[in-house]
Structure formats: structure tokens, C-alpha cells
Amino acid sequence: MPLVVQPQSMHFQAPLALASGAHLADYQLAYETYGQLNADKSNAVLICHALNASHHVAGVYADQPDSAGWWDNMVGPGKPVDTDRFFVIGINNLGSCFGSTGPMHRNPASGEVYGADFPVLTVEDWVASQARLLDALGVGVLAAVMGGSLGGMQALSWALQFPQRARHVVAIASAPNLSAENIAFNEVARRAIVTDPDFHGGHFYRFGTVPRRGLRIARMIGHITYLSDDVMNAKFGRELRHAVESAGKSGYRYTTQDIEFQIESYLRHQGDKFSQYFDANTYLLITRALDYFDPARAFGSDLTAAFARAQAKFLLVSFSTDWRFPPARSREIVTALLENRRHVSYAEIDAPHGHDAFLLDDPCYLAAVRTYFNGIAGEAGA
Amino acid sequence: MPLVVQPQSMHFQAPLALASGAHLADYQLAYETYGQLNADKSNAVLICHALNASHHVAGVYADQPDSAGWWDNMVGPGKPVDTDRFFVIGINNLGSCFGSTGPMHRNPASGEVYGADFPVLTVEDWVASQARLLDALGVGVLAAVMGGSLGGMQALSWALQFPQRARHVVAIASAPNLSAENIAFNEVARRAIVTDPDFHGGHFYRFGTVPRRGLRIARMIGHITYLSDDVMNAKFGRELRHAVESAGKSGYRYTTQDIEFQIESYLRHQGDKFSQYFDANTYLLITRALDYFDPARAFGSDLTAAFARAQAKFLLVSFSTDWRFPPARSREIVTALLENRRHVSYAEIDAPHGHDAFLLDDPCYLAAVRTYFNGIAGEAGA
């Protein structure tokens, strides 16, 4: 019996002050909740999403059996984050393109679609907006805040912005900031979008165009960095598409523009799919929020100093073949927390799937999260 | 006193049969030579180039002091490949854009510029065309054939296509074939070029356009894969451009389309430079030749079987932080050679620079090559 869910939306009229100095005067957040808030409101868990996910974390929509949430293997009845025990909240981040206010919406001040004029956001801005939604839901203190990748950065930022409002922070496949290489990949993806003639400086909505070429390239680059070299070799290797393989002796067709290798076919498919549903300005905003995240920056790059104000208990998880946010990056956070004598658990999972592993069904990984949340449930009386 | 050199060109009228089944009826090769061929013609060394290099391996052109060849630290008087002892030959590969016949040239059959109709080439085709140039120069047997990256693949292919014509094969930062991830990066770069509206299906010359947007993206992606994460962090880290740094407290400007980080500035500069001199069709051809190279393919992916016909002695060199062609890929070749009881030396250099290390001044690396070539010189009486 699948969990049937429905999205909700909340409107905020008090202006939100952003890190950039700008304000967002008026906005709405799309969100979903699963499970029930208990009487003493001690069992709420906030799930933060990464680049292309949304508030639809778990369950399916009525009459849409293929609409499972992006972390449905992690969150739900009897799942590691058990919605029979926890009240789980998923929120679509501001600036995203799945229901919360973003570049595709109308700027109430001008009456025009925001496009490239949507204010630049940071991880800290998202956390501030999430806190307001929790206020409205009557959730004062979270049993836990949890996320993977960019979602993990938001979870970490909760511990720094609202030290008293999250008892546990679970940051999976995350990092204390982006490396130069991480920024470099983001920048190439952004250039592909921005230099697409259909982008029109970010005001493509007015022109009735979509910079699909750029979005495709951006997604292809992203996909490469989500997968490990090993899993790509195991899944695709140097396999040719069947139509090519049967063509001749060597199998090659000798063409520079057509698909010959399976990996090419896979990447083009991912790029095409993504370019049909994702907003180009959102892509720029979210990758920039990734670039900017750097809680140690204000402390002379001293991560230990940055985490001095954290009060939560932490679970960090990393994956051996994740070369986007390798285990060494999680260990930096673990070290900073230990140097502050914080309570921290750390699981380094030996998994072949690269960064994507945080979304997959690795038994060790899911067991580690389940065990940790069992402990939280005990504390929370959930 | 710098080595002053000048490029030469040789015209070939006998058709060249290509792996694809096509023929190149008529073509020329640009080349340079350094040093003197000795009386018994035993001291010739062929240098093969990688993606964006050329026949201009060493020395400078008269009155152009900044025109040093791409491997000038390796090849020249008193250098590891010592042109006082060896007769060194550099050849611009067919299909390239630095003087040899390529997509920018006119197809004698149609009178039109080739563009996308230029025949698709393989590493084996390049080696065959190089062999013809050596024939014309009176070089029967090479003392050595040497290259890095894709150049290393050509050197390896010499051992397989002309087992009696190269006494030594020096393959640096190379691989027995591309991994799925390698192909994936090539494919993204190609898609960026092919989907640039200025590409016109590869016939952009007729339209007076150049797909610079695509070339920029392709080069930016390439650059990321040439550098190690470590060296990027050491060189750029999360540094902001000076103009940004001085702007405010956090230093961020909060923009999605402008340059803020040094790494962004560096990559854009590399992309811009490249897009001004490199031909888009050449980029497609050369990356496809990389994709196709796989000498084990005809042997059921058994690299040992593929190298059974090799007769040369080998030097393989790899670099610890090269994640494009990691040491493990060179070790596959070493293993295949040892299983055939071939004479093979292997140096795994602990260098921070990633794939680019093969072009740089690492003392251990240069010493290893120098020592190896001293041995060759002894054999060759050079």
C-alpha cells in the first residue's frame, strides 16, 4: 500500500532579507508532509533537497503510480526515516521550479516574469525561508534536519543558523564548501546555458524560447560528475549501441556527430529529459548557491571556528567512490565537529556508485541511517 | 641560443585507405625536423601529438621568440630527447588544423571545403600516414616513437602496425583505450560544438561563422580533465578575483552570470583563446579518434593478445594525479607487455599536476625520459 501524498503551498507576505542585501517581498513555498506531528511536537524531520529535486520527497500522488518521491527509498512507513514515527517535511527551495516562487514567476513589483532578475540566493537564505515555514507549521525544534549533497549543506547550515532548532543534523555526501574543480564544473554548465542564443540574458520566457541546448550540456556534465568511473565502466563500458554493433566488423560507424557508444546514448537521453522540465535560471541560481556555500569563510577559512556555535548531534555519511564530494570532504566536517567536542557519528560507505549513491539502495547506507533515526525516535518519544 | 626551426610540408598523391573504408585521395602533411639523420639512419625519433598540438614540437620560428614548440622542454639540444644526437620529426596529424590536410581544406573531388565531409580518422590512419612521411624522408626504422596522451596511443599503435619499424616506443600518460567516463567527456564537448547554431552541421565555413560558443565549452571541459583537483585547489582554490574580493564584506557579488571566482576567470580565458584558433571539425575528428582507439577490440578485449605482435622495447610513464588516464591504465599496458615477455620500463611519477604533467617540468619525469633516451642513443650509436 503506497503512501499517497499531496503537495501543499504556503504564502509568505513578510519580506525575506537575503544574504545579497536584496529582499524577496512576497513568496510562496511548495511543501509536503508525511506522518503526524506528535503531541509535544518533538518528532519533526525536515528533508532538504539538492539541485534538481523538490518537496516531493516520498510517496506517490493519487492515480499517478509512477510519481514516487525522490527519496522514497529513505522516507516512508517502515523506511529508515519512518513516517509512522516521524512527521517529515519536504520543502521546494525558493528559486527552484517545482512550485515555490522562482524565476518563472511574476515579480509583484514590476508585474513582469522575474527571469534573470530573480534575486540570487544562498544556502543560508533557503534555511531562513524553511524556518519560517516550520514556524507556520508549529514546529519549534526539529528532531532532525537531513539532506544529501546540496541538501546536506542546508542541514549543516541549520546547525549554524538555528543552533537550538535542530537536535540532529544528518548530512550525506556533502562538503563544507566546493573545491575549485566543483566550481569549475558548475561554471562550464552555466556558460553552456548563458551562451545558448535562446537564453536571451535570462529573459527567454518573453521570447517564447527555452535554452534547451545549454540545459542539455549542463545536465550531461552534471551526470558525469554524479557517477563514478567504475560504475560507468560497469554499466556502459565501451559498449556500442546495438544498431551500431551489428553494422560491421569493427562495429564502429565512423561518424563524429551520431551516437555510437551506449554512454553517449545515455547522456543524451538524460540531457534531453532534463531540458524539458528544468528551468535555466533555476539552474544558475542553485549552482551559484553551491559555489557560495562556505561557512568557514567568515572565520578565515577555519571550519572548526565556524562550527563552534553548533549544538546539534551529527551524522555524516560519505561514499568511497564519490569524486564530487569525496569522503575527505566529510572528514573535514567530522574533524571540525570533534575539535568542538560535538557528538558526531560518521559512516564512510564502500559503494561503487559515486555521488549518486546517496539516492540509491545501498544496504549498509540505509541501515546506518535507520539505526541513527531509531536512536532519534527513542529520544523524541516517537 | 634557441633552436630556430621552420615548418615544412610534403604532398602525397597516392590515396590513403582509411579504417572507415573511405580513401583520402590527395593530402599534405606539415612537419618539422630537428637535428641530423646519421649515416646509418638509426637515430630518428618520431614525436606524435595529442589533441591540440602540432608538428611544432621544439624550437622557435625565426623572429618569433614566443613561438616555442609544445614539447620544447623535452626535445632540443641537450634536452631529454637530445637533438644533438637524434634526428627528431614532428608531424601535424591529418585532420588537424595546423597545416596538414583537414576539414578547413578543399576537397579536390568536389572543389568545396570539406567541413563535416572530411573522412573520419583513426589513430591507425595517422600512423599509416606518418609511415609514408618517414618513407619519403628515408627513415626505415625509428630509434623511437614517442608521445603523450593521444600521442602515446599513436606510439603504441606504431608497435602494432609496424612492429619492425620502431625499436623503442615511449608512451606517456596514455591508455589502452578510453573509459566510459573519458568518452562521456568527449561526447559532452562534441555536443556543445554540434548544437552551437553557428556550427551549421559542420559546414560553418560556407556561412562565414565559427561555433565559438561550443568550442569554448569544449575547451573548458577539457581543461578541467587535464588538471588534478589538488593543483586546481592550490592554484585557484576558492579565491575570488581581486575586483570582486574588494567589493564588500563577504566578497561575493551575488551574480549568476558574471565571473567571481578565479577558476572561472581562468577557464573562460582558456575557452576564449582556444575558440580563436582551433577548428571545430578537427575537435570532433580528434576526440572521435580517441574514442575509437582500442587495439584489444579485435582480440575480444584481450590486450595481451593484441600486443603479441609488438617487437619494440617500451617505456611507459604515468602520473599519480592524472585522473584522465590514471596510472592503472598504463599498468594495463605494462602487464600486457610483460605477459608477452616484452622489454618494458615503467615510471609512475608522483606529480601533483594531473594529466597536464606530461607537458611540464617535473625533474623526476624528465630524468626518467633522459636516462631512457641515453640508452637508446648508445644502441643507435647516436
Side-chain angles (χ1 to χ4, degrees):
Chain A
M1 181 68 190
L3 181 70
V4 177
V5 302
Q6 60 182 39
Q8 301 174 67
S9 186
M10 194 176 288
H11 190 244
F12 297 83
Q13 281 187 311
L16 184 71
L18 305 174
S20 66
H23 287 75
L24 204 55
D26 185 78
Y27 62 95
Q28 62 179 23
L29 292 178
Y31 69 101
E32 290 180 12
T33 68
Y34 322 102
Q36 299 297 324
L37 190 61
N38 61 9
D40 59 357
K41 301 183 173 181
S42 64
N43 71 334
V45 174
L46 174 65
I47 304 287
C48 304
H49 70 77
L51 202 149
N52 69 320
S54 72
H55 52 291
H56 184 39
V57 176
V60 294
Y61 296 134
D63 304 323
Q64 297 180 48
D66 293 336
S67 64
W70 59 271
W71 225 352
D72 194 57
N73 59 341
M74 181 65 84
V75 177
K79 305 277 172 77
V81 181
D82 188 349
T83 53
D84 290 337
R85 306 168 88 179
F86 292 104
F87 175 63
V88 177
I89 305 147
I91 305 177
N92 187 217
N93 284 336
L94 275 176
S96 181
C97 49
F98 300 110
S100 292
T101 300
M104 297 163 80
H105 291 99
R106 215 164 279 284
N107 180 351
S110 69
E112 300 278 334
V113 170
Y114 277 109
D117 299 332
F118 196 84
V120 173
L121 296 161
T122 64
V123 167
E124 289 76 10
D125 295 332
W126 285 330
V127 168
S129 70
Q130 290 159 1
R132 284 194 176 181
L133 182 74
L134 297 189
D135 293 343
L137 295 176
V139 174
V141 179
L142 288 162
V145 54
M146 172 175 178
S149 189
L150 175 57
M153 291 174 170
Q154 293 161 62
L156 294 170
S157 210
W158 263 93
L160 304 178
Q161 288 175 251
F162 300 102
Q164 309 300 336
R165 288 193 71 170
R167 286 199 296 275
H168 292 268
V169 168
V170 180
I172 299 168
S174 195
N177 61 30
L178 294 199
S179 69
E181 187 183 89
N182 294 148
I183 298 172
F185 279 120
N186 280 348
E187 169 66 1
V188 183
R190 280 192 298 262
R191 292 315 292 165
I193 290 170
V194 166
T195 63
D196 183 330
D198 287 332
F199 183 66
H200 296 290
H203 294 292
F204 51 91
Y205 319 93
R206 293 179 200 163
F207 293 82
T209 60
V210 172
R212 283 199 210 290
R213 283 175 290 246
L215 279 166
R216 280 193 200 104
I217 298 295
R219 185 57 165 178
M220 290 169 85
I221 295 169
H223 246 281
I224 298 175
T225 70
Y226 304 151
L227 299 179
S228 71
D229 191 24
D230 286 353
V231 84
M232 266 205 198
N233 280 329
K235 233 172 141 173
F236 306 105
R238 299 181 47 80
E239 285 286 305
L240 301 177
R241 290 180 79 196
H242 181 68
V244 174
E245 186 68 85
S246 54
K249 201 179 146 203
S250 78
Y252 297 141
R253 286 185 54 210
Y254 299 104
T255 153
T256 55
Q257 298 184 38
D258 295 344
I259 293 174
E260 296 193 44
F261 294 90
Q262 290 287 13
I263 180 68
E264 296 177 305
S265 174
Y266 170 79
L267 281 180
R268 286 204 205 178
H269 175 70
Q270 295 296 333
D272 286 347
K273 241 181 20 181
F274 187 72
S275 74
Q276 280 159 28
Y277 74 83
F278 208 79
D279 178 67
N281 284 307
T282 292
Y283 200 93
L284 305 186
L285 285 170
I286 297 190
T287 54
R288 216 34 158 174
L290 272 161
D291 292 354
Y292 289 146
F293 182 68
D294 189 7
R297 188 170 194 96
F299 297 86
S301 298
D302 181 344
L303 195 64
T304 300
F307 274 105
R309 68 202 133 125
Q311 298 298 325
K313 296 177 181 173
F314 288 80
L315 170 63
L316 278 288
V317 181
S318 71
F319 300 95
S320 54
T321 56
D322 182 353
W323 61 279
R324 187 183 176 92
F325 295 151
R329 305 308 320 269
S330 282
R331 280 188 230 131
E332 289 176 43
I333 301 165
V334 170
T335 301
L337 290 167
L338 290 176
E339 287 180 350
N340 281 300
R341 298 173 178 274
R342 294 295 170 269
H343 189 288
V344 53
S345 302
Y346 175 50
E348 201 166 297
I349 308 288
D350 191 10
H353 305 98
H355 189 62
D356 254 5
F358 89 87
L359 295 167
L360 302 177
D361 286 330
D362 184 280
C364 287
Y365 161 47
L366 293 180
V369 175
R370 182 183 290 277
T371 302
Y372 195 82
F373 273 86
N374 282 342
I376 300 177
E379 284 177 17
Chain B
M1 181 67 190
L3 181 70
V4 176
V5 302
Q6 60 180 38
Q8 302 174 68
S9 186
M10 195 178 288
H11 190 244
F12 297 83
Q13 282 188 311
L16 183 70
L18 305 174
S20 66
H23 286 74
L24 204 55
D26 186 78
Y27 62 95
Q28 62 180 23
L29 292 177
Y31 69 101
E32 290 181 11
T33 68
Y34 322 102
Q36 298 299 324
L37 189 61
N38 61 9
D40 60 358
K41 303 184 173 181
S42 63
N43 71 334
V45 174
L46 174 66
I47 303 288
C48 304
H49 71 77
L51 202 150
N52 68 321
S54 73
H55 52 291
H56 183 41
V57 175
V60 293
Y61 297 134
D63 304 322
Q64 297 180 49
D66 293 336
S67 64
W70 59 271
W71 225 352
D72 193 58
N73 60 341
M74 181 65 83
V75 177
K79 305 277 172 77
V81 181
D82 187 348
T83 53
D84 290 336
R85 304 169 89 180
F86 292 104
F87 174 63
V88 177
I89 306 147
I91 305 177
N92 187 218
N93 284 337
L94 275 176
S96 181
C97 48
F98 300 110
S100 293
T101 301
M104 297 164 80
H105 292 100
R106 215 163 278 285
N107 179 351
S110 68
E112 300 279 334
V113 171
Y114 276 110
D117 299 331
F118 196 84
V120 173
L121 296 161
T122 65
V123 167
E124 289 77 9
D125 295 332
W126 284 329
V127 168
S129 70
Q130 290 159 0
R132 283 193 178 179
L133 182 75
L134 298 190
D135 293 343
L137 295 176
V139 175
V141 178
L142 288 163
V145 55
M146 174 176 178
S149 191
L150 174 57
M153 291 174 170
Q154 293 162 60
L156 294 171
S157 210
W158 264 93
L160 303 178
Q161 288 174 254
F162 299 103
Q164 308 299 333
R165 288 193 73 171
R167 286 197 299 273
H168 291 269
V169 168
V170 180
I172 298 167
S174 194
N177 59 33
L178 293 201
S179 70
E181 187 183 88
N182 293 147
I183 297 173
F185 279 119
N186 280 348
E187 169 66 2
V188 182
R190 280 192 298 262
R191 291 316 291 167
I193 290 171
V194 165
T195 63
D196 184 329
D198 287 333
F199 183 67
H200 296 290
H203 293 292
F204 51 91
Y205 319 93
R206 292 180 200 162
F207 292 82
T209 60
V210 173
R212 284 199 210 287
R213 284 176 289 245
L215 279 166
R216 282 193 198 104
I217 298 294
R219 186 55 166 181
M220 289 169 86
I221 296 170
H223 246 280
I224 299 175
T225 69
Y226 304 152
L227 299 178
S228 71
D229 192 25
D230 286 353
V231 83
M232 266 204 197
N233 280 329
K235 235 173 141 171
F236 306 104
R238 298 181 49 78
E239 285 285 305
L240 301 178
R241 291 179 78 197
H242 180 67
V244 174
E245 188 68 84
S246 54
K249 200 181 144 203
S250 77
Y252 296 142
R253 286 187 55 211
Y254 300 104
T255 153
T256 55
Q257 297 183 39
D258 295 345
I259 292 175
E260 296 193 46
F261 294 90
Q262 290 287 14
I263 180 68
E264 297 177 304
S265 175
Y266 171 79
L267 281 181
R268 286 204 205 177
H269 175 69
Q270 294 296 334
D272 286 347
K273 240 181 22 181
F274 187 72
S275 75
Q276 280 159 29
Y277 74 81
F278 208 81
D279 178 67
N281 284 307
T282 292
Y283 200 93
L284 305 186
L285 285 171
I286 296 189
T287 55
R288 214 37 159 170
L290 273 160
D291 292 353
Y292 289 146
F293 181 68
D294 189 7
R297 188 170 192 95
F299 297 86
S301 298
D302 181 345
L303 195 63
T304 301
F307 274 104
R309 69 204 132 126
Q311 297 297 324
K313 296 176 181 174
F314 288 79
L315 170 64
L316 278 288
V317 180
S318 71
F319 300 94
S320 55
T321 56
D322 182 353
W323 60 279
R324 187 183 175 92
F325 295 151
R329 302 309 320 268
S330 282
R331 281 190 229 130
E332 289 176 42
I333 301 165
V334 171
T335 301
L337 290 168
L338 290 176
E339 287 180 349
N340 281 300
R341 300 172 176 275
R342 293 296 169 270
H343 190 288
V344 54
S345 302
Y346 175 50
E348 201 166 297
I349 308 289
D350 192 8
H353 305 98
H355 188 63
D356 254 6
F358 89 87
L359 295 167
L360 302 177
D361 284 331
D362 184 280
C364 285
Y365 161 46
L366 294 181
V369 175
R370 182 183 290 278
T371 303
Y372 195 83
F373 272 87
N374 282 343
I376 299 177
E379 284 177 15

